[in-house]
């Protein structure tokens, strides 16, 4: 299996101030990485570098063998819940269609019918085609999250980055979104990185777990990383 992401001694800064330092890790094609760490640990920052939208770093990172900026078209980034709270006055179909309007450097201003067709197929794949004509803002949190994931799939990414996709959801919605991610993993064979404060619902789909706290704390299989003695080094002992 090919490494799709390779980071070596990666240090990420904002205006010279270090956010995450000396990260070294590899991720293989089709693997799902659960990225954990306390608030401010640098999880979102790392996703933004991989997505090619933050480029202030030293060390080395390759995404699909190239620089993150060069691989941008193959990486889809699902941002944190801020989008879920937005009052965008669009239907679900319009939101998903937006994900297909920019590809290979071409922006479409009229929506080609094949993009609408594909949007409906993606919604069908995720089991939410029935929501297509509903206003996005009227959906539940779990439904919104799945719609935003559908939008991300419209660009046929090879890598899907999800920032806290389940954190703001109730337990039932967490389970629904997790099963959506599981389906994507099994049927599309995408490489995924999922940041979370709540690892338990996602544990089944994680091939690897990385724990960071401004630097690498642990990286390995869920069994290796999710041990009390590792977790307690940054979160304190569990009671
Ligand atoms: P959370 O779980 O709270 O979302 P996180 O692990 O995603 O946290 P980041 O948002 O990546 O952490 O933040 C890592 C560090 O980088 C923090 O110290 C934060 O203050 C800093 N940081 C994040 N974004 C910026 C920015 N745009 N400009 C300057 N500093 C930033």
């Amino acid at each position: 299996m090919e490494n799709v992401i390779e980071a070596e001694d990666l240090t990420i800064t904002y205006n010279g101030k270090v956010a995450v330092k000396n990260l070294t890790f590899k991720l293989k094609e089709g693997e799902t990485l659960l990225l954990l760490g306390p608030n401010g640990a640098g999880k979102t920052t790392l996703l933004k570098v991989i997505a090619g939208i933050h480029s202030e770093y030293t060390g080395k990172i390759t995404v699909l063998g190239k620089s993150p900026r060069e691989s941008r078209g193959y990486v889809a980034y699902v941002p944190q819940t801020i989008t879920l709270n937005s009052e965008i006055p669009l239907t679900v179909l319009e939101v998903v269609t937006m994900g297909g309007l920019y590809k290979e450097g071409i922006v479409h201003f009229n929506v080609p019918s094949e993009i609408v067709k594909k949007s409906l197929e993606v919604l069908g794949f995720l089991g939410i085609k029935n929501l297509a004509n509903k206003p996005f803002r009227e959906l539940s949190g779990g439904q919104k999250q799945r719609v935003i994931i559908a939008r991300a799939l419209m660009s046929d990414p090879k890598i899907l980055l999800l920032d806290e996709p389940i954190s703001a959801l109730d337990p039932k919605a967490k389970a629904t979104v997790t099963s959506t991610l599981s389906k994507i993993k099994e049927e599309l064979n995408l490489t995924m990185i999922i940041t979370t404060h709540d690892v338990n619902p996602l544990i089944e789909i994680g091939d690897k777990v990385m724990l960071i706290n401004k630097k690498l704390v642990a990286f390995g299989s869920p069994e290796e990383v999710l041990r009390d003695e590792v977790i307690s080094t940054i979160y304190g002992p569990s009671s």
Side-chain angles (χ1 to χ4, degrees), residues 12-15 17-20 36-48 54 80 163-164 195 197 212 214:
I12 310 169
T13 50
Y14 289 101
N15 299 316
K17 195 164 170 268
V18 173
V20 196
L36 314 182
N39 288 335
K43 303 180 296 295
T44 302
T45 297
L46 177 59
L47 292 191
K48 285 183 176 169
H54 181 75
Q80 212 167 348
D163 202 353
E164 304 276 0
T195 76
H197 283 284
I212 62 171
K214 300 194 180 289

Side-chain angles (χ1 to χ4, degrees), residues 35-153:
L35 177 56
L36 314 182
N39 288 335
K43 303 180 296 295
T44 302
T45 297
L46 177 59
L47 292 191
K48 285 183 176 169
V49 166
I50 295 168
I53 51 185
H54 181 75
S55 300
E56 195 188 310
Y57 61 83
T58 58
K60 197 179 153 203
I61 176 148
T62 56
V63 175
L64 300 161
K66 297 181 179 165
S67 74
R69 273 186 172 272
E70 288 171 306
S71 292
R72 267 169 89 143
Y74 299 98
V75 180
Y77 174 51
V78 181
Q80 212 167 348
T81 50
I82 190 140
T83 332
L84 299 183
N85 300 328
S86 74
E87 286 292 312
I88 25 178
L90 299 174
T91 66
V92 165
L93 182 60
E94 286 166 337
V95 169
V96 176
T97 301
M98 279 163 52
L101 295 181
Y102 180 86
K103 219 181 159 208
E104 291 148 15
I106 302 163
V107 183
H108 297 275
F109 290 104
N110 298 312
V111 181
S113 59
E114 64 268 25
I115 292 183
V116 175
K117 187 166 166 259
K118 184 169 175 185
S119 302
L120 290 168
E121 281 167 10
V122 173
L123 285 168
F125 172 69
L126 297 186
I128 47 173
K129 198 171 168 182
N130 59 318
L131 301 179
N133 294 318
K134 277 205 156 195
F136 179 80
R137 62 182 168 206
E138 287 177 15
L139 304 184
S140 69
Q143 289 172 331
K144 282 180 177 167
Q145 188 60 259
R146 283 185 288 161
V147 170
I148 289 170
I149 293 170
R151 182 182 64 174
L153 294 179

Side-chain angles (χ1 to χ4, degrees), residues 196-209:
T196 186
H197 283 284
D198 190 6
V199 70
N200 287 332
L202 294 164
I203 199 85
E204 292 297 319
I205 62 170
D207 301 299
K208 294 276 165 61
V209 177

